Amino acid sequence: MKVKRPQLETECGDSDWFTIGQGVRQGCILSPYLFNIYAEYIMRLALDDFVGQVSIGGRQINNLRYADDTTLLARTAAELQDLIERVKQSSEEYGLYLNVKKTKVMICGGKNDHHIQADGEDVEVVNTFNFLGSLIVDGGGCSQEIRRRLAMARSSAINLTDIWKDRGISRNTKIHIMNALVFPIATYGSETWALGAVDRKKIHAFEMWCWRRMLRISWKERKSNDFVKNQIGAKVTLCQKIDKNKLQYFGHISRREGDNLEKIITQGHVEGHRKRGRPKVRWADGIKEITGMNICAAHRFAQDRSGWNVIINRVTKGQS
């Protein structure tokens, strides 16, 4: 494919006309495949003879990639520094360059007193960062992400105030709008949440706030939550919908054949030791709380799709 490009302004003036002799059209279905092959080759060169990695379920993991978003994993700062230099060098050999300003370092389970460099500049060390739309924190919890999601959904509900006040729109239509435009914002990525009691209370309070705002029921009217639920005919709470999403996701990855990464991460043991004190709620603890089974037993039950759907319907009281 040859495309005639306009003149480009540079520090030395305008450049001459030139043509592109290779490439694909924008939106071509080959683009993601070609990029994945390209990135895979570069990563293999970078990881040649590299020994640093994180062990999860006996599998050594040192990188996670989604399109051009690459996450590098290492046990120590020295290993991470070596890995960054390797990836940077192999990428530059094939025309890809590391953007230091967009690169972040997160240290989990340790002090943020390490200095990682790239191109002679210190890479910013952060406690949180946004990855694929979800907030990742160094402590591994999801409370901050839940608060952020609820705040975004609350703002969306406020922006729809004119619809809630419109008497020409039926209540059923408003309920559908709430379920389609507000609640999905709040539950984005909820399949990966490890919910504690406090988190469930916040989600329930947000849900009731949304229904009260839609029905224009003031707190001063002293109407109970049960009254509000009866008005909208809600039989399944938002927390139950989140539990259903988690169980569906768990069943999906459990039934996948082969030694896939999702199954290893959700069921494998992460190397290291917990700190002293009360242990934090884990994602697997949520599956155990919902189903009453440990993670291994739940994995066996999930192999039967119809039987697993029975468990899911029991959790959500037979409602979708």
Side-chain angles (χ1 to χ4, degrees):
M1 179 183 67
K2 294 186 178 181
V3 180
K4 197 173 183 180
R5 304 286 296 181
Q7 289 182 326
L8 302 179
E9 295 183 359
T10 65
E11 296 179 355
C12 301
D14 297 339
S15 65
D16 296 329
W17 289 91
F18 64 93
T19 59
I20 299 176
Q22 58 185 355
V24 295
R25 294 181 181 274
Q26 184 177 5
C28 178
I29 60 175
L30 289 177
S31 298
Y33 294 100
L34 295 176
F35 182 82
N36 286 339
I37 295 173
Y38 191 59
E40 177 67 19
Y41 181 73
I42 292 175
M43 188 59 67
R44 290 188 179 185
L45 291 178
L47 297 177
D48 187 26
D49 297 330
F50 180 72
V51 295
Q53 56 260 318
V54 176
S55 176
I56 302 179
R59 179 169 175 175
Q60 309 302 320
I61 302 174
N62 47 39
N63 71 95
L64 299 172
R65 281 171 285 150
Y66 185 86
D68 60 341
D69 288 323
T70 302
T71 302
L72 304 178
L73 307 175
R75 293 173 297 183
T76 64
E79 289 182 356
L80 181 60
Q81 181 68 65
D82 182 26
L83 184 57
I84 290 178
E85 292 176 356
R86 285 169 171 264
V87 173
K88 176 179 177 297
Q89 181 178 358
S90 61
S91 299
E92 290 179 351
E93 291 179 1
Y94 292 90
L96 295 181
Y97 297 92
L98 177 68
N99 191 328
V100 180
K101 294 183 179 180
K102 292 184 178 181
T103 305
K104 311 295 180 184
V105 171
M106 174 178 288
I107 301 174
C108 301
K111 298 181 179 179
N112 295 346
D113 55 357
H114 300 283
H115 298 281
I116 307 297
Q117 291 188 337
D119 282 338
E121 300 181 32
D122 288 338
V123 181
E124 182 182 2
V125 179
V126 297
N127 296 322
T128 64
F129 73 94
N130 194 300
F131 182 69
L132 301 180
S134 297
L135 189 68
I136 310 299
V137 300
D138 55 1
C142 60
S143 296
Q144 294 187 40
E145 167 67 1
I146 292 174
R147 290 197 298 268
R148 188 176 75 98
R149 279 284 151 193
L150 296 184
M152 294 170 60
R154 188 185 297 268
S155 177
S156 177
I158 293 175
N159 292 336
L160 297 172
T161 299
D162 291 341
I163 294 180
W164 311 143
K165 292 181 178 180
D166 194 334
R167 299 182 182 275
I169 302 177
S170 67
R171 179 176 297 179
N172 287 335
T173 302
K174 293 179 181 179
I175 292 175
H176 287 306
I177 292 175
M178 183 71 73
N179 288 323
L181 300 182
V182 178
F183 289 159
I185 298 176
T187 59
Y188 175 84
S190 59
E191 297 88 347
T192 63
W193 291 353
L195 295 178
V198 176
D199 298 324
R200 290 184 178 275
K201 289 181 180 179
K202 290 180 180 179
I203 295 173
H204 181 67
F206 161 77
E207 179 184 11
M208 299 313 302
W209 177 87
C210 289
W211 292 133
R212 289 175 183 272
R213 188 174 187 86
M214 187 198 75
L215 296 173
R216 302 180 65 186
I217 297 177
S218 172
W219 293 99
K220 298 179 181 179
E221 298 182 30
R222 297 185 178 274
K223 300 294 185 180
S224 66
N225 290 339
D226 291 335
F227 173 82
V228 176
K229 292 179 181 179
N230 290 332
Q231 292 295 309
I232 61 175
K235 298 181 180 180
V236 180
T237 65
L238 194 58
C239 286
Q240 288 175 323
K241 293 180 181 179
I242 293 175
D243 291 340
K244 178 180 180 180
N245 293 339
K246 292 176 64 174
L247 292 182
Q248 288 178 333
Y249 176 69
F250 177 80
H252 173 69
I253 62 178
S254 296
R255 289 187 295 270
R256 291 188 61 181
E257 298 181 357
D259 192 20
N260 62 83
L261 183 60
E262 295 92 340
K263 187 183 298 183
I264 292 174
I265 292 177
T266 56
Q267 301 179 19
H269 174 72
V270 181
E271 66 176 6
H273 302 280
R274 287 188 174 188
K275 295 182 179 180
R276 296 181 61 183
R278 184 177 181 180
K280 296 182 179 180
V281 178
R282 300 172 297 181
W283 186 83
D285 296 332
I287 299 297
K288 181 178 180 180
E289 179 184 359
I290 299 171
T291 62
M293 298 179 285
N294 59 41
I295 199 72
C296 295
H299 170 68
R300 292 193 298 269
F301 271 89
Q303 302 305 311
D304 180 12
R305 184 187 296 270
S306 59
W308 189 246
N309 287 335
V310 172
I311 296 177
I312 295 176
N313 291 332
R314 183 185 65 190
V315 171
T316 57
K317 298 181 181 180
Q319 301 293 326
S320 59

